[in-house]
């Protein structure tokens, strides 16, 4: 990190967020649901979009909608420039050393599948081992099950403890010279746990294995520096980062990406095609077949600029305050049990209630204008560990407030009365 | 604070708190599991048949208030019915929760009317119908468990 960067970050850390002003940037937040002001606490599922993102997308469609990388006309040049500028914004956001390492895809899911099918399928074979963890989202489990089946490799799972933390000693035991790849989430969507990702990556490297990080839940909450982490791959989605749905990023180390076979084939990913031989395009285009989600990527660039302007350090500090406040508030609710009590957490609170099923709670809260998520959160193995079918989950972003958490607690108390 | 009374009627809250005919039926002639992977609800319906007649019906499992109350009410409605009668009730109930219900014979449905509130909650209709589809399949003699997805 350069001195300039550090200074900027320290400066933003010191600024206190003006939540009223921030909320005014998100038009969706000012509406009523069932006659109550919307309290949006489902940010781990998807985040809301600020005007800056909505207007950027609107502008693209109104002023320079075009296909990119091929036209010589003005609109296409504008489109290409905006698209490639967004790639640079993303590169800087995670501190990748080159824009060639930034593959623009449809989401974290596609990013993980790309690595599984391109790297995994071509490199793994019988006897090789892939390590994942018990707290993974299904999108960081199933692609590895499929590639294991295709290649004869096997899957090992790092267990979790009752606080919802990875058991690092068990991870160390799983690592052997057969380990080829470790794919672990940076932050759990179901539990909010922040994993010791740097240690996980370093240990994988000690055994000569590659490390893929599923950062879908991390990028909206914490500064990510892929060079400092030294991860081999880092995946995330735009829509959880205040950007549009249908956008996602795979960061990969250039040397690895260069040696990997294409994942999908089509336009844009080639340099020259004859029926005898096709020459693939250079990075990152080799992995970006077909017309991409142009407006989405440009919108994601705007979302990252928006987050940068507020500053992730300031965001993290404020969200931590919210987490502490909410944890304390929920702890006072009789009959409520928080699932996921890791020492290191982001503002995601999963919980269950005595005698109230999460699904019923979700419906009752919705009537109070409060949006939470209920269910298994695409992390069934987490539910299996805690031997519960589902949880209710409140997940907060920097536009949420303590008053909204008070509303949540009131809603829960009301639900208790319904079922009393 | 807000009006949820149409969904969480007293009957539903009561049948959720103390479900009727709950627990495994020993010596059941048929039993079948129903599963809703979206919310994790998992119920098993047990049947005792005498020829064409449902002489006993029970259920167990776990689920939200809507699915438990619906199952509890269903077992009450089905006991001692013939299979033809059971099918009729099933069809009526299905109408009740998936249409605006103008053609429904309210008297025949009796207490089951309490479930009608789910109509306004599209994501919750599956909670109410899980046990019913499971029963339907069990009557049809199916062996593999039923899933809402
Ligand atoms: C931890 C984690 N990984 C991966 C994903 C998949 O993201 P997407 O559905 O945007 O591809 C999610 C989304 O819920 C997630 O929370």
């Amino acid at each position: 990190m350069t001195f300039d960067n550090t200074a900027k970050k320290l400066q933003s850390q010191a600024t206190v967020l003006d939540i009223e002003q921030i909320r005014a940037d998100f038009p969706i937040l000012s509406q009523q649901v069932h006659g109550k002001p919307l309290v949006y606490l489902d940010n781990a599922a998807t985040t809301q979009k600020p005007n800056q993102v909505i207007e950027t997308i609107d502008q693209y469609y109104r002023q320079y909608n075009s296909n990119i990388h091929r036209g010589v006309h003005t609109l296409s040049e504008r489109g290409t420039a905006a698209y490639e500028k967004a790639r640079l914004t993303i590169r800087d956001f995670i501190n990748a050393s080159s824009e060639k390492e930034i593959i623009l895809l449809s989401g974290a899911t596609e990013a993980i599948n790309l690595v599984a099918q391109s790297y995994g399928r071509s490199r793994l074979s019988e006897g090789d081992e892939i390590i994942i963890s018990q707290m993974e989202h299904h999108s960081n489990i199933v692609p590895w099950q499929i590639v294991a089946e295709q290649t004869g490799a096997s899957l090992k799972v790092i267990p979790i403890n009752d606080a919802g933390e990875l058991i690092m000693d068990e991870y160390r035991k799983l690592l052997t010279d057969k380990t080829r790849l470790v794919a672990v989430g940076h932050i759990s969507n179901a539990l909010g746990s922040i994993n010791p990702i740097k240690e996980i990556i370093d240990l994988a490297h000690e055994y000569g294995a590659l490390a893929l990080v599923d950062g879908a839940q991390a990028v909206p909450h914490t500064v990510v520096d892929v060079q400092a982490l030294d991860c081999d791959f880092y995946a995330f989605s735009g829509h959880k980062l205040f950007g549009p749905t249908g956008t996602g990023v795979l960061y990969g180390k250039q040397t690895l990406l260069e040696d990997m076979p294409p994942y999908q084939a089509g336009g844009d990913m080639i340099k020259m095609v004859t029926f005898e031989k096709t020459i693939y395009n250079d990075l990152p285009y080799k992995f970006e077949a077909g017309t991409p989600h142009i407006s989405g990527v440009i919108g994601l660039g705007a979302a990252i600029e928006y987050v940068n302007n507020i500053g992730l350090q300031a965001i993290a500090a404020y969200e931590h305050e919210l987490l502490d406040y909410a944890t304390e508030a929920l702890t006072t609710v009789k009959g409520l049990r928080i699932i996921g009590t890791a020492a290191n957490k982001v503002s995601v609170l999963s919980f269950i209630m005595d005698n109230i099923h999460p699904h019923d709670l979700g419906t009752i809260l919705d009537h109070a204008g409060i949006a939470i998520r209920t269910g298994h959160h695409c992390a069934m193995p987490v539910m299996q560990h805690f031997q519960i079918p589902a949880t209710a989950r409140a997940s907060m972003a920097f536009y949420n407030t303590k008053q909204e958490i008070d509303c949540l607690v009131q809603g829960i108390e009301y639900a208790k009365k319904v079922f009393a | 604070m807000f009006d949820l009374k149409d969904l969480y009627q007293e009957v539903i809250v009561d049948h959720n708190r103390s479900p009727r005919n709950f627990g495994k039926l020993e010596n059941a002639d048929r039993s079948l599991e129903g599963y809703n992977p979206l919310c994790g609800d998992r119920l098993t319906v047990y049947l005792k048949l005498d020829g064409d007649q449902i002489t006993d019906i029970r259920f167990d499992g776990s689920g939200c208030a809507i699915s438990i109350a619906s199952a509890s009410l269903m077992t009450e409605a089905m006991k001692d019915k013939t299979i033809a009668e059971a099918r009729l009730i099933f069809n009526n109930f299905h109408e009740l929760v998936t249409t605006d219900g103008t053609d429904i014979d309210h008297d025949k449905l009796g207490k089951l009317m309490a479930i009608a509130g789910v109509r306004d909650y599209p994501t919750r209709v599956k909670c109410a119908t899980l046990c019913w589809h499971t029963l339907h399949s069990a009557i049809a003699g199916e062996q593999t468990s039923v899933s809402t997805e």
Side-chain angles (χ1 to χ4, degrees), chain A residues 168-235:
Chain A
M168 290 297 284
D169 282 341
E170 297 296 327
Y171 171 47
R172 285 188 196 91
K173 283 186 215 157
L174 290 177
L175 283 162
T176 68
D177 55 6
K178 292 185 195 155
T179 311
R180 291 283 169 273
L181 196 130
V182 176
V184 172
H186 193 162
I187 290 175
S188 156
N189 67 312
L191 301 163
S193 324
I194 306 175
N195 290 322
I197 202 68
K198 174 68 181 146
E199 195 184 343
I200 291 169
I201 295 162
D202 288 348
L203 280 164
H205 289 164
E206 265 177 44
Y207 286 82
L210 297 187
L212 174 142
V213 181
D214 170 4
Q217 294 294 337
V219 285
H221 298 295
T222 178
V223 177
V224 171
D225 179 335
V226 291
Q227 292 187 71
L229 287 177
D230 195 29
C231 54
D232 300 287
F233 301 103
Y234 197 98

Side-chain angles (χ1 to χ4, degrees), chain A residues 44 107-109 137 139 187 189 214 216-217 237 239-240:
Chain A
T109 300
H137 188 279
S139 61
I187 290 175
N189 67 312
D214 170 4
Q217 294 294 337
S237 292
H239 70 97
K240 294 182 198 282

